[in-house]
Amino acid sequence: MVMIVGLEEENKEIESNMRELARGLLKEKKVDVIIGYKKGTLPMMSQPIIIDKEEDVDKLLWNNTCYVNLAKYLVPRVAKFVDPEKGNLKVGVVAKGCVGRALIHLASENRINLDEITIIGIPCNGVINRQRIEMEIGEKEILEVTASGNNIVVKGKNFEKEFPFDEYMNELCKQCKIRSPPLVSKFPDLHVGACEEYASIVDEFDDIAEFEAKSPEEKWAYIQDALSVCTRCYACREACPMCYCNLCFVDQNKPIWFGKTTDMPDIIVYHLIRAMHMAGRCVACGACSLVCPMGIDLNFINRKLEKIVKQRFDFTSGLDPDTLPPMTDFKMEDAEEFMLEED
Amino acid sequence: MPNPYIPILTKVKSIISENKVNDIKTIELQFQKEDDYKSFDYIPGQFAEISIIGKGECPIGIASSPTEEGSIKFTIKKMGTVTSMFHRSDIGDTIGVRGPLGNGWPIEELKGKNIVVIGGGFAFSTLRSLILYILDEKHRKDYGNVTVIYGNRDSGEVLYRDVLEEWEKRDDIDVVLTIDREEEGWTRKVGFVAAIVKEVAPSPDNAVAIICGPPIMIRTAVDELVKIGWKDEQILNSLEMRMKCGIGKCGRCNIGSKYVCIDGPVFSLAELKKMPNEY
Amino acid sequence: MTEQAIEKQTESEKWEPKIIAFLCNWCSYAGADLAGVSRIQYPPNIRIVRVPCSGRINAYFIIKSLTDGWDGVVVSGCHPGDCHYISGNLVARRRFAILKELLEFFGIEPGRVNFMWASAAEGERFAVLIRKATEIVKKLGPNKKFEKKW
Amino acid sequence: MDEKLLKKSDISKLFNEVKDEYNFYAPKKVRGNISFELISDAKEIELDYLNSKVPPKDVLFPQKETIFEYHYEGKDVIIDERKDLEDKLLIFGVRPCDAYSFKLLEDFFAFGEFQDDVFLKKRENATIIGIGCNEPRQSCFCTSVGGHPYQKESTDVFLSDLGDYYLVETITEKGKDLVKKLSWLTDAKKGDVEKSKALAKQAEESFTTKFNFDLVTKVLDENFENPVWEEIAESCIGCSSCTFLCPTCTCFDVIDENDEYNHRGRRIRIWDTCQSCLYTLETSGHNPRPEKIQRCRNRIMHKFSYYPSNYDRLGCVGCGRCIVACPVNNELRLIIDKILEIEQKEEGEKANA
């Protein structure tokens, strides 16, 4: 059982453990490079960093701002992960639960080879919902963000405000049941640090029940409102570890399927089809929402996808590299209650 | 100043299928107003943005020469969405033209010089324009010897057969046609363009080489020219790039600080060597 | 109907939906054909697009139909187990299930998109289901959600 | 005295007076973000803001803009030009960096043989009310690119925030016309002008981010091929937040939108970005900038090397939006630092030799 301690102490402990693990891995040459996070230049920001030397280990950082899903850098592999002579290098990935899930799921789609990866598991306690805090602070500049107990303390010129972390966590983190990377027993070399075995995940999906109960018109109005500020920059797509297509459907131009403008129908179609492609693949990292420059919260769509997949196909993504993802698989007895039938 | 994005409307006057595979067509466009044609004052090597209204726009080199009065021609290969639509168009259809755009071949600087034209495949269109311009009665005396080396994959791909045959009969132009592989009934040269360049060995004295074709052909042909003493300044190239506006505003066709659409598409090899290798 | 009766019809009653139907080549298209040759009446609102298999049907097809202004979409394939390509319709079924739920989640009336199975021998069933789908779409009214502003 | 005073509580009065003549754009809060929107009620105007999320460029150069419309008559196509370009616009509350970006855009679109009529006409008909920055952010660096938190370039009327009221300065004829209409504005006292000057000075001194861009340009010109670009592009995920929120990015794509049922359509332009792989992809499949590294490099080179060599000024106004927007924090300050390191290394080598 984890003792209830303040956020900061907890993060510090994880951070020092992580550094030790990383140091050990590099020293014993178990990995060639490690990808992790380093301190960002802005409050509530962290930057991905790739290190290959022992002395750089102390640059690694862990706190509640590490929201980028590092699995993104493995598909396709960034240049630093490939040696011109040796070929693919062995990569250590600082992985919270969702990064671990992403890696395992990508392995199930044959995108990465788990033999070439070491998961440095980290028991994550959620990441800050940066945009929500920024919006609530409003038009004041945030200069410093610290943790005190279980509160996030935001400081700026002439103001200081505390936010309870439980409330101002990313929406998906609030529902997260897989905080440490899932254990894949077939690959004993895969894990260092905190990894856990997960039996079936139990999830009630209460959080979206309210939305689901709305009428079509209310839903449509809500979606329109939520997506109205979308600028189609595709940051959500680019940050998503599962979006690795060479040519995304919105970019296809032979033929052009969907409009590229910021007219409402075009925006909705983009998000709808992207959601379609995420079914059974989303690993609930929330990166799509956290990178959105306009602060659109796409998490409720991801939750719905999780729910559909869980209830229909009893599947949770990223737990086992050997299970076929549901959308590439089928069963004769799949439910078909939605089919039109004679009365 | 009128809106530069608004095309002039023209009608398709004739359509000629250029090759056996039928994926290259030459479309002749007729301006609807005399003023429109007069304002379309172009030189060989320039291009225009032609569009099927409602389908899109694409930049195509002008294949006709300003000396062929009355209409303009474009040779279009069926490649993407818009070019496929061109292939479906019929005589009498409305087509928008925006242009002329780009710098074109430097016809003034070429005066008094011997000209070696090296072309490959369907990139021959602006070269056709240039040669027709030079061979015109009014201009022929301004230029020196003209040598044309034109290579193709096979005999079915040779464009502009009618004018080529005419040129072969003339004595003020040397035409060397080649295809990659031997073929029954082909009486001209056989071999890659670079090999023919080596064989013909045009002299670099007071001469300019004008090259247009697929990248691999350009590279090998240029190598051969350099070997026999040609200088970078004497070799001219016409570049291709993805373009949208054609007037230096949409941004995508830059190579370093130069825009292909307004500073090009014609660059000398010496200029290209100064630019970053992003083309 | 007398002229007066026609006049009495309201706008919405007069309105007939336009429905695009994607039918698989081996079962449903043949089923539609059978309905035709057997002279079984079904509403003339559908326009048929023949596809090799219901597994060929991408979510794009359906969404694009909606954005292009069709009032409804019908997708029909072979019954599970009867697929000419063994399992095309089974893979498609999962896809349709997700799409159906997502459309509903996004607030697009679920009745706009209808999926059904109809074999080559089921001309009668085909006609009945198409009639049913047409009624559903008619009740929903014109598809205005994806209309662009001009 | 030329300077006037405008009470903050009188903004609605100002709005009501000019709304019939102008399309009035002002900062407005939309779903938590400030952006410049067409205002229909003075209550919507947000006065207390640092800067908008999406730059006011999108008033004059919207993300999606019709170039022309067309309709069919049989086989013939009739082109209908836009008529709304003559509408008078008023953009209220533009920060000096963004106002300066209008100057950049104007010069860019007017550059060369072809003038972008669609933009220039709108610019001509736009009156811009600028507002000085009293509290520059950490990420702001306009002073490094030749700007200033109280720079008045390309504004028509300039406001200084003096607490409850604004000091109103008229800069151009257009501004004079506007202020003339607001006869109820009170005259400013000498003290107010002094106060504005003091605020300007204070703001200028509070900048924490400073660059030497002359040096950056010089280093960039010489280092197109340098391993540092790989390092810079490393953590970039290729989203285009930086370019979409940039007030000086002008790249666009041209698309035809068809309404076949009604036999009409329009040719539109929409923002495009050099960070997208499709941007330079040719039909043949060849892509001159296929990798992230080339695209990252193109963005930086364009702003700090190509722009100076083509237009003799930097293609950046120092608003700092790209710094804040980068989701992986691979921000401009770090990039510039890395570029300048090249120079330092070279100098170090020289010293050693």
Side-chain angles (χ1 to χ4, degrees):
Chain A
M1 223 18 239
V2 188
M3 274 199 307
I4 296 168
V5 281
L7 270 180
E8 200 156 11
E9 290 79 25
E10 208 175 311
N11 287 336
K12 272 272 152 329
E13 198 190 316
I14 296 171
E15 190 179 78
S16 63
N17 286 343
M18 170 184 73
R19 286 182 184 166
E20 279 323 301
L21 285 170
R23 205 187 309 276
L25 287 172
L26 284 171
K27 197 176 200 169
E28 291 162 31
K29 300 250 175 331
K30 280 190 177 159
V31 299
D32 300 305
V33 285
I34 289 177
I35 182 163
Y37 306 90
K38 75 170 180 192
K39 196 173 178 332
T41 54
L42 294 165
M44 297 194 282
M45 272 291 197
S46 60
Q47 190 186 2
I49 178 181
I50 298 170
I51 58 168
D52 53 5
K53 287 189 222 61
E54 252 184 271
E55 59 263 32
D56 289 341
V57 161
D58 288 330
K59 284 186 189 162
L60 290 179
L61 162 107
W62 177 256
N63 62 24
N64 306 94
T65 66
C66 300
Y67 64 80
V68 180
N69 196 323
L70 298 178
K72 182 73 200 172
Y73 294 94
L74 284 134
V75 181
R77 282 182 162 238
V78 295
K80 263 205 180 165
F81 292 161
V82 185
D83 189 279
E85 281 151 29
K86 280 195 278 178
N88 283 358
L89 294 174
K90 180 120 182 166
V91 185
V93 185
V94 172
K96 45 186 179 161
C98 42
V99 177
R101 279 175 77 184
L103 291 170
I104 292 166
H105 190 85
L106 286 167
S108 80
E109 292 182 0
N110 294 323
R111 286 289 129 185
I112 53 177
N113 184 351
L114 284 179
D115 288 326
E116 293 166 348
I117 284 167
T118 296
I119 293 176
I120 304 169
I122 285 181
C124 166
N125 45 26
V127 295
I128 307 180
N129 191 338
R130 178 168 65 98
Q131 282 112 332
R132 195 168 156 204
I133 291 182
E134 271 171 13
M135 279 182 196
E136 231 145 278
I137 292 290
E139 288 301 307
K140 277 176 254 165
E141 190 178 14
I142 298 168
L143 296 175
E144 201 191 339
V145 176
T146 49
S148 139
N150 269 326
N151 282 351
I152 306 282
V153 187
V154 178
K155 283 184 208 144
K157 209 175 164 188
N158 312 329
F159 76 92
E160 186 177 323
K161 207 169 170 189
E162 289 201 11
F163 295 93
F165 180 60
D166 292 342
E167 175 57 27
Y168 285 84
M169 215 190 269
N170 181 26
E171 296 302 315
L172 282 179
C173 297
K174 286 182 193 166
Q175 310 298 334
C176 183
K177 310 270 187 298
I178 306 174
R179 300 191 165 255
S180 309
L183 206 61
V184 184
S185 42
K186 209 177 87 181
F187 293 95
D189 283 350
L190 197 59
H191 319 277
V192 286
C195 296
E196 276 179 51
E197 198 154 3
Y198 293 94
S200 190
I201 306 292
V202 183
D203 199 332
E204 298 298 329
F205 299 99
D206 297 333
D207 49 314
I208 52 166
E210 191 194 338
F211 183 83
E212 284 180 319
K214 288 182 180 173
S215 75
E217 294 314 312
E218 283 170 335
K219 284 180 190 164
W220 182 254
Y222 179 88
I223 296 256
Q224 280 208 317
D225 182 44
L227 300 179
S228 61
V229 287
C230 176
T231 59
R232 297 289 289 266
C233 69
Y234 303 133
C236 42
R237 176 184 85 188
E238 301 298 342
C240 177
M242 294 304 152
C243 275
Y244 53 68
C245 290
N246 285 335
L247 190 61
C248 180
F249 71 94
V250 278
D251 289 339
Q252 285 175 8
N253 51 5
K254 290 184 206 171
I256 296 171
W257 282 104
F258 302 113
K260 293 174 166 206
T261 69
T262 42
D263 288 341
M264 214 50 230
D266 289 345
I267 294 177
I268 290 182
V269 166
Y270 164 66
H271 287 283
L272 178 64
I273 303 261
R274 201 183 95 83
M276 187 75 205
H277 288 173
M278 286 297 122
R281 308 175 65 232
C282 175
V283 291
C285 63
C288 48
S289 307
L290 289 163
V291 299
C292 179
M294 306 308 286
I296 300 170
D297 195 345
L298 298 167
N299 289 330
F300 69 106
I301 301 175
N302 297 333
R303 284 292 287 165
K304 174 68 184 176
L305 286 175
E306 259 187 285
K307 179 177 175 180
I308 300 173
V309 172
K310 177 80 193 161
Q311 292 184 342
R312 279 194 176 267
F313 315 122
D314 190 26
F315 179 83
T316 307
S317 60
L319 290 186
D320 178 12
D322 293 333
T323 313
L324 272 180
M327 298 313 284
T328 56
D329 197 11
F330 58 85
K331 281 199 184 101
M332 196 61 194
E333 60 276 9
D334 281 335
E336 51 172 33
E337 82 298 336
F338 59 92
M339 285 282 177
L340 211 57
E341 278 302 330
E342 288 174 84
D343 295 316
Chain B
M1 179 79 198
N3 186 339
Y5 300 106
I6 294 188
I8 306 169
L9 297 182
T10 63
K11 295 265 185 208
V12 179
K13 191 180 172 194
S14 71
I15 301 168
I16 304 161
S17 177
E18 291 283 359
N19 61 352
K20 276 185 191 154
V21 192
N22 199 19
D23 67 347
I24 299 175
K25 279 184 182 174
T26 297
I27 294 183
E28 187 181 2
L29 302 177
Q30 175 90 51
F31 287 93
Q32 284 164 298
K33 287 185 212 132
E34 190 60 26
D35 288 353
D36 288 346
Y37 178 67
K38 277 193 186 129
S39 66
F40 196 90
D41 183 16
Y42 66 103
I43 62 167
Q46 286 194 298
F47 66 94
E49 289 274 351
I50 55 177
S51 57
I52 292 194
I53 310 280
K55 298 296 172 206
E57 216 174 20
C58 62
I60 305 279
I62 305 171
S64 59
S65 153
T67 53
E68 297 175 282
E69 274 172 32
S71 61
I72 51 170
K73 283 179 186 160
F74 295 92
T75 300
I76 298 162
K77 187 175 170 125
K78 193 173 178 174
M79 287 293 284
T81 323
V82 183
T83 47
S84 306
M85 289 311 294
F86 276 111
H87 273 245
R88 276 196 231 164
S89 63
D90 238 331
I91 290 176
D93 280 1
T94 307
I95 281 178
V97 177
R98 225 147 46 76
L101 306 166
N103 56 0
W105 303 111
I107 44 173
E108 290 303 316
E109 287 165 37
L110 292 179
K111 279 188 179 161
K113 295 201 172 132
N114 298 329
I115 293 162
V116 179
V117 174
I118 302 170
F122 91 111
F124 199 66
S125 60
T126 59
L127 300 179
R128 170 192 190 268
S129 170
L130 177 72
I131 298 164
L132 277 177
Y133 181 86
I134 292 171
L135 292 184
D136 190 72
E137 281 168 31
K138 274 179 274 169
H139 306 124
R140 186 63 192 93
K141 58 183 184 309
D142 296 338
Y143 301 92
N145 297 333
V146 179
T147 312
V148 178
I149 300 171
Y150 178 33
N152 269 302
R153 218 173 15 212
D154 55 56
S155 62
E157 295 286 309
V158 183
L159 305 181
Y160 314 123
R161 258 167 267 214
D162 47 341
V163 284
L164 282 174
E165 273 166 24
E166 221 174 274
W167 295 345
E168 279 183 327
K169 284 180 204 143
R170 292 175 70 137
D171 49 8
D172 57 349
I173 175 170
D174 296 324
V175 181
V176 185
L177 299 181
T178 174
I179 56 173
D180 291 357
R181 261 176 238 105
E182 293 234 20
E183 216 173 280
E184 217 171 288
W186 181 260
T187 52
R188 282 94 166 183
K189 304 248 180 211
V190 173
F192 291 125
V193 170
I196 304 298
V197 170
K198 199 176 173 186
E199 193 184 317
V200 175
S203 152
D205 296 333
N206 188 33
V208 175
I210 287 172
I211 304 184
C212 209
I216 181 74
M217 186 217 90
I218 295 184
R219 227 171 302 140
T220 50
V222 165
D223 284 350
E224 290 301 332
L225 289 176
V226 171
K227 267 188 216 156
I228 52 174
W230 288 71
K231 301 238 161 44
D232 290 349
E233 291 78 17
Q234 288 175 288
I235 301 172
L236 296 180
N237 254 317
S238 180
L239 293 189
E240 275 184 355
M241 262 291 199
R242 186 180 170 93
M243 279 176 206
K244 286 288 177 181
C245 71
I247 56 174
K249 307 294 178 209
C250 80
R252 70 204 63 232
C253 67
N254 73 308
I255 305 174
S257 57
K258 295 267 186 285
Y259 287 104
V260 173
C261 62
I262 47 176
D263 300 312
V266 175
F267 292 101
S268 74
L269 194 60
E271 283 174 297
L272 282 179
K273 280 195 174 160
K274 273 185 228 147
M275 297 200 277
N277 186 19
E278 270 186 3
Y279 50 86
Chain C
M1 255 189 286
T2 62
E3 267 178 41
Q4 279 163 328
I6 291 172
E7 260 172 41
K8 263 186 192 164
Q9 277 186 318
T10 56
E11 270 302 306
S12 64
E13 274 168 17
K14 263 189 225 162
W15 174 78
E16 284 293 333
K18 273 192 284 182
I19 299 173
I20 185 167
F22 295 100
L23 308 183
C24 94
N25 183 36
W26 304 100
C27 295
S28 301
Y29 191 81
D33 206 24
L34 182 66
V37 294
S38 323
R39 311 223 161 182
I40 304 167
Q41 290 272 329
Y42 64 87
N45 305 53
I46 64 162
R47 312 284 185 277
I48 293 171
V49 176
R50 180 157 59 153
V51 290
C53 173
S54 49
R56 172 67 184 90
I57 296 161
N58 200 315
Y60 303 174
F61 292 10
I62 296 166
I63 309 284
K64 180 124 180 88
S65 305
L66 292 177
T67 57
D68 279 0
W70 292 91
D71 299 308
V73 182
V74 171
V75 176
S76 181
C78 312
H79 285 279
D82 292 352
C83 180
H84 186 79
Y85 307 97
I86 318 296
S87 57
N89 56 354
L90 298 176
V91 178
R93 184 170 59 182
R94 285 201 165 185
R95 216 179 288 149
F96 299 156
I98 303 263
L99 181 64
K100 188 101 176 163
E101 289 207 36
L102 263 182
L103 284 173
E104 191 189 342
F105 190 75
F106 270 66
I108 297 152
E109 307 85 345
R112 291 257 179 242
V113 182
N114 294 296
F115 302 98
M116 59 191 244
W117 306 134
S119 80
E122 294 174 326
E124 182 68 45
R125 176 184 158 91
F126 181 83
V128 168
L129 289 182
I130 289 294
R131 207 170 297 140
K132 195 172 169 190
T134 312
E135 269 163 33
I136 295 173
V137 177
K138 196 165 180 183
K139 219 173 271 170
L140 291 173
N143 166 25
K144 294 258 184 213
K145 282 198 168 135
F146 292 103
E147 225 171 48
K148 277 202 180 190
K149 275 192 205 114
W150 281 82
Chain D
M1 204 170 233
D2 279 349
E3 286 87 354
K4 305 272 180 190
L5 289 180
L6 168 67
K7 272 197 214 132
K8 280 188 177 170
S9 53
D10 282 343
I11 291 289
S12 58
K13 205 168 162 189
L14 182 146
F15 171 74
N16 288 328
E17 205 130 309
V18 299
K19 69 172 181 197
D20 295 331
E21 192 179 341
Y22 296 92
N23 288 337
F24 195 98
Y25 289 87
K28 178 181 165 186
K29 204 160 217 169
V30 183
R31 285 194 65 84
N33 297 315
I34 299 283
S35 58
F36 282 81
E37 305 276 335
L38 189 61
I39 301 291
S40 55
D41 184 348
K43 275 186 214 123
E44 295 167 351
I45 304 172
E46 191 84 25
L47 293 176
D48 189 22
Y49 71 104
L50 290 166
N51 206 349
S52 63
K53 194 117 200 182
V54 179
K57 137 185 126 174
D58 85 333
V59 176
L60 297 180
F61 177 51
Q63 177 149 17
K64 176 196 166 185
E65 181 168 34
T66 307
I67 297 174
F68 62 81
E69 293 186 358
Y70 54 82
H71 65 272
Y72 300 97
E73 279 176 13
K75 241 187 166 184
D76 289 331
V77 183
I78 316 285
I79 289 179
D80 312 308
E81 288 198 44
R82 277 182 67 175
K83 294 186 184 70
D84 58 340
L85 293 175
E86 303 295 338
D87 290 355
K88 279 175 104 176
L89 308 170
L90 191 143
I91 314 177
F92 176 86
V94 180
R95 295 288 179 195
C97 51
D98 292 337
Y100 181 53
S101 82
F102 290 152
K103 171 88 187 135
L104 249 64
L105 295 178
E106 201 182 324
D107 286 358
F108 171 78
F109 280 121
F111 183 80
E113 196 186 333
F114 299 95
Q115 266 96 53
D116 188 305
D117 211 38
V118 181
F119 177 87
L120 293 174
K121 255 193 198 151
K122 275 205 261 177
R123 175 69 190 93
E124 203 181 302
N125 292 320
T127 307
I128 289 159
I129 302 184
I131 183 165
C133 286
N134 290 347
E135 284 180 18
R137 282 191 274 194
Q138 302 264 305
S139 52
C140 292
F141 58 97
C142 60
T143 50
S144 309
V145 293
H148 189 277
Y150 268 69
Q151 190 187 40
K152 297 171 179 99
E153 168 128 37
S154 96
T155 58
D156 299 302
V157 176
F158 193 82
L159 309 179
S160 318
D161 190 341
L162 305 178
D164 292 335
Y165 51 90
Y166 295 111
L167 178 77
V168 182
E169 291 168 78
T170 48
I171 312 293
T172 61
E173 285 301 314
K174 251 195 267 177
K176 240 178 227 167
D177 289 347
L178 178 73
V179 171
K180 236 184 251 163
K181 276 172 216 145
L182 312 170
S183 51
W184 41 269
L185 290 179
T186 51
D187 282 339
K189 295 183 199 74
K190 208 173 177 193
D192 298 320
V193 182
E194 296 292 316
K195 203 170 162 191
S196 151
K197 279 185 185 148
L199 280 171
K201 191 148 186 289
Q202 194 193 334
E204 190 188 348
E205 279 159 6
S206 70
F207 275 83
T208 50
T209 305
K210 279 177 189 153
F211 298 116
N212 176 359
F213 275 111
D214 291 339
L215 188 61
V216 172
T217 306
K218 193 180 144 260
V219 179
L220 283 177
D221 287 344
E222 292 158 5
N223 287 287
F224 187 83
E225 312 267 356
N226 192 301
V228 81
W229 290 112
E230 230 157 82
E231 216 176 293
I232 288 169
E234 191 178 86
S235 64
C236 172
I237 53 171
C239 80
S240 6
S241 307
C242 46
T243 52
F244 270 50
L245 299 185
C246 177
T248 68
C249 273
T250 50
C251 296
F252 59 83
D253 195 356
V254 180
I255 288 176
D256 282 8
E257 258 190 343
N258 242 349
D259 182 4
E260 273 159 22
Y261 298 105
N262 296 311
H263 309 289
R264 63 178 175 183
R266 58 193 161 201
R267 182 160 292 171
I268 57 166
R269 64 169 171 205
I270 54 172
W271 293 354
D272 203 349
T273 161
C274 54
Q275 305 302 302
S276 135
C277 75
L278 214 66
Y279 183 68
T280 48
L281 181 69
E282 292 165 19
T283 317
S284 61
H286 171 65
N287 194 345
R289 291 199 279 272
E291 301 288 331
K292 255 182 344 199
I293 161 168
Q294 286 114 351
R295 294 179 221 142
C296 271
R297 176 170 59 194
N298 188 62
R299 173 175 152 250
I300 302 295
M301 289 295 256
H302 187 225
K303 298 234 180 288
F304 303 114
S305 163
Y306 305 158
Y307 229 90
S309 74
N310 280 349
Y311 316 106
D312 208 22
R313 61 157 66 98
L314 291 163
C316 174
V317 294
C319 68
R321 282 189 181 90
C322 56
I323 294 177
V324 182
C326 183
V328 291
N329 202 234
N330 183 20
E331 47 121 312
L332 191 68
R333 290 178 289 188
L334 296 178
I335 295 175
I336 301 278
D337 284 348
K338 277 181 191 153
I339 289 163
L340 290 178
E341 261 169 40
I342 307 175
E343 177 76 3
Q344 282 158 8
K345 244 185 234 161
E346 274 171 17
E347 267 176 27
E349 276 163 20
K350 264 185 217 158
N352 285 341

